[in-house]
Amino acid sequence: MSQQFSLVNSNHTPMANMVVYLTATSTSSAKKIAPESTQPPIEIHQENKQFSPYITVIQQGYQLKFVNDDDITHHIYSASGPKRFSFKLRKDSTQQDMLFDQAGHISMGCNIHDWMSGHVLVVDTPYYGVTDSNGNVTFDELPDSEYQLVVWHPQLRADNNQFSQTITTPLAEALTIQITASMDDIPTQQSLDDFDFLDGY
C-alpha cells in the first residue's frame, strides 16, 4: 500500500530535499529487503565544482559511482563517517565505483576545491526517499507494520541532524509532519575567486 508523508516547518512551509526513511520497530513485523546485486550504482557527479546532488541517500550494500563532469581534477575525500576514502578523479569524465556496506552519515569534500561539500546517508532499510519541492515523499508497497520514521538533513539543528517519531501503517490518509527545529543555511558551493591554482594537480 502506498503511503505519503508531507513535511512542513514551523511556519507550515513545505520542506524540500529532506531525507525520510522508515525502519520497522520489530524484525518480525517487516521483512528486511536486501539490495539486488544487479542494482546499478547510484551516481554522484562533480559538476561546476560542486557535488550533484548535494545529498545522496542509499541502502546499505549499494554502490555509488563518482563521476567527474568537469574538465579539471577533483580529489574527493570523506571528512567523517563509517566509510573512509580519498581518491583523485581526473578530468575527461573519469569515475570511481565504491560499495557502501555500513549504515551512517558520510560528509565529503574536495582537497583541491575546499568549498565543495556533499553528504551521503547510508540506511539499513529499503524504505527511504527525499522530499520533493512540495515537501512530499511517497513509499510504495509499504508492508503494514509499526515503524520509526526518521527525517534527516545535515543542516537540521537537532540531535544527529534528525527528527523521529513512531508511526503505524496503514495510515488512513497522508500524514503531515511538522519539523519545529530550525535549519542552518547550506554552505555556498562556490569559490570566492573561482580560481583554480591547481589545474595541473
Side-chain angles (χ1 to χ4, degrees), residues 44 46 51 58 64-66 75-89 96-100 105-111 118-120 122:
I44 296 179
Q46 290 73 57
F51 287 102
I58 60 171
L64 278 179
K65 182 187 294 289
F66 294 85
H75 189 165
I76 308 304
Y77 68 93
S78 59
S80 63
K83 185 78 171 182
R84 306 314 300 265
F85 53 82
S86 177
F87 56 85
K88 294 179 185 178
L89 281 177
Q96 174 85 25
D97 290 3
M98 188 173 298
L99 179 69
F100 285 73
H105 167 218
I106 298 132
S107 60
M108 303 178 296
C110 175
N111 276 321
H119 299 268
V120 176
V122 185

Side-chain angles (χ1 to χ4, degrees), residues 9-22:
N9 62 18
S10 56
N11 296 320
H12 297 279
T13 301
M15 301 181 73
N17 300 315
M18 304 290 290
V19 175
V20 179
Y21 64 93
L22 303 171

Side-chain angles (χ1 to χ4, degrees), residues 181-197:
S182 59
M183 297 278 292
D184 288 326
D185 292 334
I186 294 176
T188 301
Q189 301 294 297
Q190 184 177 350
S191 169
L192 294 177
D193 54 11
D194 202 31
F195 176 68
D196 279 297
F197 62 97

Side-chain angles (χ1 to χ4, degrees), residues 135-171:
N136 298 327
V137 62
T138 300
F139 296 95
D140 294 322
E141 299 180 6
L142 184 65
D144 296 345
S145 183
E146 183 180 83
Y147 295 92
Q148 192 72 14
L149 180 148
V150 180
V151 177
W152 180 90
H153 192 284
Q155 271 70 53
L156 184 64
R157 288 189 177 183
D159 290 344
N160 298 316
N161 307 111
Q162 68 182 35
F163 163 88
S164 65
Q165 73 176 56
T166 302
I167 64 165
T168 300
T169 59
L171 300 170

Side-chain angles (χ1 to χ4, degrees), residues 33-41 59-63 99:
I33 301 175
E36 296 288 343
S37 60
T38 57
Q39 175 72 25
Q59 186 182 353
Q60 178 180 335
Y62 275 66
Q63 278 192 327
L99 179 69

